[in-house]
């Protein structure tokens, strides 16, 4: 078949591939090359083919099209081009992924399994790694996206290859390493909302064996909304990030990498928006009518369906995260190597907000958390002939001291009294986690093209909720006269303080069979199991909630088409999901509000399709399609704590919270050769199906299907040193809730959550050497 004929066939097929594809599912072996661009050059015959692109999804280098796991990859240059500045932005570039934020906690959901606990101290279901270091605090995961080489997202339970067990997947961020030659870059971005961002790095050799790299990122923009009561902006950003990397290579077989990082935020970010009333409840206070920013009249209405808010308090976000890691690699011989990783990280945040939607009934919420985390990991990796394996040991020690101080309107809880802001509720605890795990995975090629992988993980974990405390006071006014901060430590409620314990040991297996049908067709089937240990409803008398488990049955097919001009990868999976840890707003004795409990079992079925095509050298299409069916099963019934008068409610058939019905990503790019460079235009479209945020599937706690489009115009000079671009993200200025939760009935049962970022546009300029 001639090249001209093959390209004609591909051009005809591209219209079909366009609606299914994913340019995010690419990787890079060279940090200076965006993996999607590398794949495009491959398709055009100007570089290595897709089958030569290297990923590290299985803790060793393997070809993307021959890796028996559902993995999506996006490179660092693509993050910069698309103005993806944090983990909150990257979800729109990946299939089966929903990323939002709640009370400053990063909420990552993959295939309908994600983080639902808004309270400090809980770990997510998606294990989050930066350079192999596990970060267990969702409040400290937003500052890692700078000077990135690539981001890999593994979908499905993980545990036989990684330090921390996970039921939903693994999110791996790899930053750029020091270079032996002097190199660096500087990227500047300016745009609406007074945006002025800067990112840069400088790298080079300090001696024959020692090299270093220093990277910095600054993010600044004004608020995406306003507090109409105080007149100040909210959801602005002022962040500073710094990373220093030292790499020592005394020989070809041994290297040591030391990384230190720091991230700081001081702004009014992470303020929730109001999306109406979740329940038509009757409270002890009169709830004002709803209004819009145009009809707002403080304090006579509740603002709803707006990025603005109304609070009598000045909102604030203050957080920092710092850490250090030491990684060593030693090649024992030509086929066996030993790796060690030791890390310590420390984080803190303080979030102050009033989020009821009306200043007349607004509480004053103060959320604090301080975290100390230590990890140690040792791996033995082997690759000899038909046999390859990974064996590891992992130690995790975590101490989190969360604290919640909420001053509440007195009339919301005490009938027929003068309404004023009372001291309200004060809860705190010391949460300790110690986990030890042994894991391993072995792959053996039993015949030409046929391989079998077996793996397992044994985890022993101890958790302790120490000095669990709750005190309430609806009499003493806030602020308390003469008391620093205006909030006093209330006497403990009956039953407090107390201690709680969890001890759990689990073994989780994995079996995979993969077969290379031809040089261009690779398939696999997998059974894997993951679990997430239980936790505590600190500040409450409720007992600990139990661990949850996922059994995954999956099959995948990865194909290279038209001689490398297109790829098409499909994965189908079935999850048997039990003891689901879900969050509700609790009421009753000893319950301060947010409550996590077991919601029984569910099945999650889905299909994911990722394809990419380049019909001509200048034109490419990419995108993805993911469809989910995520429903509770069995005869599970439970009482809705917000509507106890309804009695036990049957959950079977209800949609699992946080699982979109479908996601569609479509992208297209056309490039022009200019005398002194290249000009490219790219358009992207994503549609996200409706998402339920309540296990009771309340229509008022549901995000309807929504659409988002992005546009990019980029120029690169002929030498590859200078770049310039224009961008518009969220072209249609779509307003949608990326997370939702219900507030207390006494405060109006408002539906609160984080809103999609509004339309942003601007210009970026970059230089690298």
């Amino acid at each position: 078949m001639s090249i001209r004929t093959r390209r004609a066939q591909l051009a005809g097929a591209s219209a079909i591939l366009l609606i299914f594809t994913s340019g995010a599912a690419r990787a890079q072996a060279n940090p200076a090359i965006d993996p999607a661009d590398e794949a495009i050059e491959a398709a055009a015959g100007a570089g290595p083919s897709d089958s030569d692109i290297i990923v590290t999804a299985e803790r060793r280098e393997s070809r993307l099209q021959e890796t028996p796991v559902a993995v999506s990859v996006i490179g660092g240059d693509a993050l910069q081009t698309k103005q993806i500045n944090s983990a909150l932005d990257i979800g729109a570039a990946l299939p089966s992924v929903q990323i939002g934020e709640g009370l400053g906690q990063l909420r990552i959901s993959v295939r309908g399994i994600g983080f639902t606990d808004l309270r400090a101290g809980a770990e997510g279901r998606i294990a989050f790694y930066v350079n192999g270091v596990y970060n267990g605090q969702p409040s400290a995961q937003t500052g890692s996206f700078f000077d990135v080489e690539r981001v890999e997202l593994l979908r499905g339970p993980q545990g036989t290859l990684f330090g921390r067990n996970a039921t939903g997947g693994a999110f791996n961020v790899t930053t750029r390493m020091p270079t032996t030659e002097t190199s660096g870059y500087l990227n500047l971005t300016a745009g609406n909302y007074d945006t002025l961002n800067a990112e840069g790095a400088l790298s080079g050799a300090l001696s024959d064996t020692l090299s270093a790299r220093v990277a910095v990122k600054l993010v600044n923009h004004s608020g995406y909304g306003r507090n109409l009561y105080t007149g100040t902006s909210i959801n602005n950003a002022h962040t500073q990030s710094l990373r220093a990397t030292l790499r020592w290579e005394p020989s070809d077989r041994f290297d040591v990498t030391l990384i230190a990082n720091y991230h700081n935020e001081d702004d009014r970010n992470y303020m929730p928006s109001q999306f109406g009333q979740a329940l038509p409840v009757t409270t002890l206070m009169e709830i004002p009518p709803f209004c819009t920013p145009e009809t707002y009249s403080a304090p006579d209405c509740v603002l709803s369906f707006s990025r603005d808010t109304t609070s009598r308090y000045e909102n604030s976000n203050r957080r920092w995260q710092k850490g250090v890691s030491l990684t060593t690699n030693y090649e024992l011989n030509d086929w066996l190597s030993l790796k060690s990783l030791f890390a310590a990280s420390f984080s803190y945040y303080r979030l102050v907000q009033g989020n009821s939607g009306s200043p007349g009934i607004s509480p004053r919420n103060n959320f604090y958390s301080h975290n100390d985390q230590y990890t140690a990991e040792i791996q033995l990796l082997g690759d000899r002939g038909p046999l390859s394996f990974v064996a590891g040991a992992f130690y995790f020690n975590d101490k989190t001291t969360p604290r919640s101080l909420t001053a509440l309107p007195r009339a919301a809880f005490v009938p027929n009294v003068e309404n004023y802001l009372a001291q309200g509720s004060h809860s705190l605890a010391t949460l300790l986690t110690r986990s030890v795990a042994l894991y391993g995975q072995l792959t053996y090629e039993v015949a030409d093209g046929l391989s079998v992988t077996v793996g397992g993980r044994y985890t022993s974990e101890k958790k302790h909720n120490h000095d669990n405390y709750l005190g309430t006071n609806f009499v003493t006014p806030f602020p308390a006269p003469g008391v620093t901060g205006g909030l006093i430590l209330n006497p403990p409620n009956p039953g407090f303080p107390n201690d709680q314990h969890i001890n759990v040991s689990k073994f989780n297996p994995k079996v995979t069979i993969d077969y290379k049908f031809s040089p261009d067709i690779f398939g696999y089937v997998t059974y894997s199991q993951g679990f997430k240990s239980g936790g505590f409803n600190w500040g409450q008398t409720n007992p600990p909630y139990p661990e949850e488990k996922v059994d995954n049955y999956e099959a995948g097919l990865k194909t290279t088409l038209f001689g490398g001009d297109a790829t098409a990868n499909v994965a189908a999976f079935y999850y048997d999901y039990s003891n689901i840890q879900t969050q509700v707003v609790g009421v009753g004795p000893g319950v301060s509000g947010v409550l996590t409990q077991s919601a029984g079992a569910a099945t999650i079925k889905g299909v994911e399709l990722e394809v990419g095509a380049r019909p001509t050298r200048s034109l490419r299409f990419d995108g993805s399609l993911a469809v989910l069916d995520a429903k509770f099963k069995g005869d599970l019934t439970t009482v809705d704590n917000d509507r106890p008068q309804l009695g036990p409610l049957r959950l079977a058939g209800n949609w699992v919270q946080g699982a979109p019905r479908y996601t569609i990503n479509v992208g297209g790019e056309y490039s022009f050769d200019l005398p002194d460079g290249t000009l490219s235009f790219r358009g992207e479209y994503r549609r996200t199906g409706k998402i339920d945020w309540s296990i009771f599937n309340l229509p008022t706690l549901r995000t309807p299907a929504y659409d988002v489009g992005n546009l990019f115009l980029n120029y690169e000079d002929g030498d590859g040193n200078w770049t310039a671009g224009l961008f518009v993200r969220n072209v249609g200025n779509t307003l949608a809730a990326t997370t939702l939760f219900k507030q207390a009935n006494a405060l109006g049962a408002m539906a609160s959550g984080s809103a999609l970022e509004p339309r942003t546009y601007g210009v970026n300029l970059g230089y690298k050497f």
Side-chain angles (χ1 to χ4, degrees):
M1 181 183 296
S2 69
I3 295 177
R4 179 176 297 177
T5 301
R6 190 177 68 218
R7 293 206 183 278
Q9 291 178 342
L10 185 57
S14 296
I16 299 174
L17 295 175
L18 176 62
I19 64 174
F20 297 116
T21 56
S22 172
R26 300 293 184 266
Q28 70 182 63
N30 185 337
I33 302 175
D34 172 36
D37 292 337
E38 184 177 286
I40 293 165
E41 292 304 314
S49 67
D50 261 2
S51 61
D52 291 325
I53 296 174
I54 303 299
V55 297
T56 57
E58 294 194 300
R59 284 293 182 105
R60 58 187 177 87
E61 292 185 348
S62 62
R63 294 179 174 86
L64 174 65
Q65 293 299 97
E66 297 179 0
T67 302
V69 65
V71 56
S72 295
V73 188
I74 186 168
D77 288 350
L79 297 176
Q80 174 64 30
T81 299
K82 298 179 181 183
Q83 294 301 300
I84 296 175
N85 293 311
S86 73
L88 287 168
D89 301 328
I90 200 172
L94 299 170
S96 291
V97 178
Q98 176 73 18
I99 300 181
E101 168 271 321
L103 302 183
Q105 310 274 338
L106 191 65
R107 301 180 71 170
I108 305 176
S109 175
V110 177
R111 292 178 170 177
I113 296 180
F115 181 66
T116 58
D117 196 336
L118 297 177
R119 293 162 62 85
E123 295 181 71
R125 295 176 174 92
I126 311 302
F128 194 96
Y129 299 90
V130 180
N131 295 317
V133 177
Y134 174 70
N135 185 338
Q137 290 297 303
S139 62
Q141 295 172 353
T142 58
S144 307
F145 279 74
F146 68 105
D147 198 33
V148 171
E149 177 184 335
R150 66 179 180 273
V151 177
E152 297 183 356
L153 175 69
L154 284 75
R155 302 187 289 276
Q158 304 297 324
T160 63
L161 290 169
F162 295 90
R164 193 69 171 137
N165 48 281
T167 53
F171 204 102
N172 302 326
V173 180
T174 302
T175 64
R176 293 185 173 112
M177 291 292 107
T179 56
T180 56
E181 296 182 355
T182 302
S183 63
Y185 70 92
L186 176 64
N187 294 321
L188 301 175
T189 302
N192 63 331
Y193 294 102
D194 304 313
T195 296
L196 186 59
N197 300 338
E199 178 182 332
L202 181 63
S203 180
L206 301 179
S207 70
D208 292 340
T209 60
L210 185 65
S211 55
R213 187 180 189 93
V214 177
V216 179
K217 183 171 185 177
L218 306 175
V219 175
N220 297 277
H221 66 74
S222 60
Y224 293 147
R226 288 189 304 130
N227 183 342
L228 300 185
Y229 188 83
T230 64
T232 56
S233 67
I234 59 170
N235 291 320
N236 62 338
H238 296 294
T239 74
Q240 307 85 40
S241 303
L242 173 67
R243 182 185 301 116
T245 305
L246 282 175
R247 188 174 180 87
W248 182 48
E249 299 177 271
S251 72
D252 294 337
R253 291 185 176 272
F254 182 68
D255 63 75
V256 179
T257 302
L258 177 67
I259 302 177
N261 63 275
Y262 177 76
H263 175 76
N264 179 71
E265 301 179 19
D266 189 359
D267 46 40
R268 290 183 292 274
N269 212 346
Y270 312 119
M271 300 301 131
S273 299
Q274 308 303 318
F275 292 90
Q277 194 170 13
L279 290 173
V281 299
T282 301
T283 72
L284 298 175
M285 293 183 62
E286 181 181 353
I287 304 301
F290 287 105
C291 62
T292 67
E294 291 74 24
T295 61
Y296 171 73
S297 178
D300 300 326
C301 60
V302 176
L303 197 64
S304 184
F305 295 95
S306 170
R307 292 187 176 90
D308 298 323
T309 190
T310 53
S311 170
R312 67 176 68 189
Y313 315 107
E314 290 290 358
N315 303 295
S316 67
N317 166 58
R318 178 72 176 92
R319 67 186 63 207
W320 53 260
Q321 189 269 333
K322 55 188 176 182
V324 62
S325 66
L326 181 69
T327 304
T328 67
N329 292 283
Y330 180 49
E331 294 184 13
L332 302 175
N333 52 43
D334 292 338
W335 62 275
L336 191 63
S337 62
L338 185 67
K339 180 178 181 178
S340 68
L341 195 157
F342 303 93
S345 65
F346 313 93
S347 63
Y348 167 86
Y349 81 90
R350 176 180 181 266
L351 195 65
V352 178
Q353 58 181 218
N355 60 356
S356 67
S358 169
I361 59 173
S362 181
R364 184 183 189 273
N365 297 315
N366 300 259
F367 303 105
Y368 302 82
S369 181
H370 190 283
N371 174 261
D372 298 337
Q373 178 183 294
Y374 303 89
T375 60
E377 188 171 2
I378 297 177
Q379 289 183 341
L380 186 66
L381 302 95
D383 192 349
R384 186 173 189 179
L387 175 68
S388 63
F389 65 87
V390 177
F394 177 73
Y395 173 76
F396 176 69
N397 188 319
D398 182 275
K399 177 183 178 181
T400 303
T401 53
R403 186 179 182 187
S404 176
L405 310 170
T406 304
L408 296 167
R410 188 185 185 208
F413 296 90
V414 182
N416 303 318
V417 299
E418 177 189 358
N419 184 37
Y420 59 84
L421 202 62
Q423 290 291 316
S425 172
H426 184 179
S427 57
L428 55 88
T430 299
L431 306 177
L432 305 174
T433 300
R434 290 180 177 84
S435 180
V436 178
L438 299 175
Y439 63 87
Q441 181 170 300
L442 182 149
T443 299
Y444 188 78
E445 187 175 8
V446 297
D448 187 23
L450 177 64
S451 297
V452 176
T453 298
V454 294
R457 177 190 185 88
Y458 175 78
T459 305
S460 177
E461 193 156 297
K462 295 182 179 181
K463 291 187 172 184
H464 183 194
N465 178 9
H466 180 59
D467 286 339
N468 185 39
Y469 168 90
L470 171 66
T472 54
N473 181 342
F474 299 120
V475 177
T476 304
F478 175 87
V483 177
T484 302
L487 202 100
I488 64 174
L489 186 66
N490 301 320
N493 285 12
F496 294 95
N498 61 60
D499 284 7
Q500 297 175 328
H501 298 268
I502 293 176
N503 294 318
V504 61
S505 297
K506 289 290 181 180
F507 176 78
N508 302 115
K510 176 182 179 179
V511 178
T512 298
I513 301 174
D514 63 75
Y515 184 65
K516 192 171 183 178
F517 296 93
S518 74
D520 297 327
I521 302 176
F522 177 82
Y524 67 91
V525 292
T526 290
Y527 165 74
S528 60
Q529 188 183 89
F531 97 103
K532 179 179 181 292
S533 60
F536 306 103
N537 289 295
W538 57 270
Q540 301 172 16
T541 56
N542 296 78
Y545 51 88
E547 68 271 9
E548 64 179 22
K549 187 185 72 169
V550 173
D551 290 287
N552 172 41
Y553 306 86
E554 182 172 338
L557 193 67
K558 300 187 176 185
T559 62
T560 303
L561 308 172
F562 302 104
D565 287 337
T567 58
N569 299 338
V570 62
F573 61 92
Y574 176 91
Y575 285 172
D576 188 358
Y577 193 11
S578 57
N579 278 348
I580 302 173
Q581 298 167 5
T582 190
Q583 189 175 74
V584 297
V585 177
V587 294
V591 178
S592 61
V594 177
L595 170 69
T596 299
Q597 61 185 20
S598 174
T603 58
I604 302 178
K605 298 173 285 186
V607 177
E608 300 160 339
L609 181 62
E610 303 175 82
V611 286
R614 185 164 189 173
T616 70
R617 186 180 185 87
S618 300
L619 178 65
R620 66 166 170 172
F621 299 109
D622 52 78
S624 67
L625 169 67
V627 180
L628 288 180
D629 182 3
K631 296 177 180 178
F632 290 103
K633 66 177 182 178
D635 298 323
L636 175 66
T637 60
T638 186
V639 174
D640 184 352
N641 292 330
D642 296 311
R643 301 173 296 164
Q645 70 277 10
L646 299 179
L649 301 175
R650 190 171 184 265
L651 290 185
N654 282 10
W655 204 267
V656 174
Q657 64 183 144
R661 269 62 168 179
Y662 59 86
T663 56
I664 300 173
N665 287 296
V666 176
E669 183 169 332
Y670 190 81
S671 60
F672 305 84
D673 288 331
L674 302 177
D676 56 349
T678 303
L679 185 68
S680 63
F681 174 79
R682 178 174 177 81
E684 298 176 344
Y685 166 77
R686 178 179 174 95
R687 181 170 177 84
T688 302
K690 65 180 179 180
I691 307 172
D692 277 287
W693 299 101
S694 163
I695 61 174
F696 302 103
N697 288 184
L698 295 173
T700 51
L701 287 173
R702 175 181 297 155
T703 299
Y706 63 92
D707 308 278
V708 177
N710 305 316
L711 295 173
F712 308 93
L713 181 65
N714 293 299
Y715 169 79
E716 182 175 2
D717 75 340
D719 296 329
N721 298 124
W722 288 96
T723 58
L726 302 173
F727 67 90
V728 184
R729 292 178 58 85
N730 192 2
V731 175
N733 200 28
T734 299
L735 174 61
T738 57
T739 60
L740 274 178
F741 60 93
K742 188 196 73 63
Q743 294 183 10
N745 293 353
L747 298 176
M750 311 296 181
S752 296
S754 59
L756 193 70
E757 289 187 357
R759 180 193 300 117
T760 57
Y761 55 85
V763 58
N764 55 70
L765 179 67
Y767 177 75
K768 58 184 177 182
F769 61 92

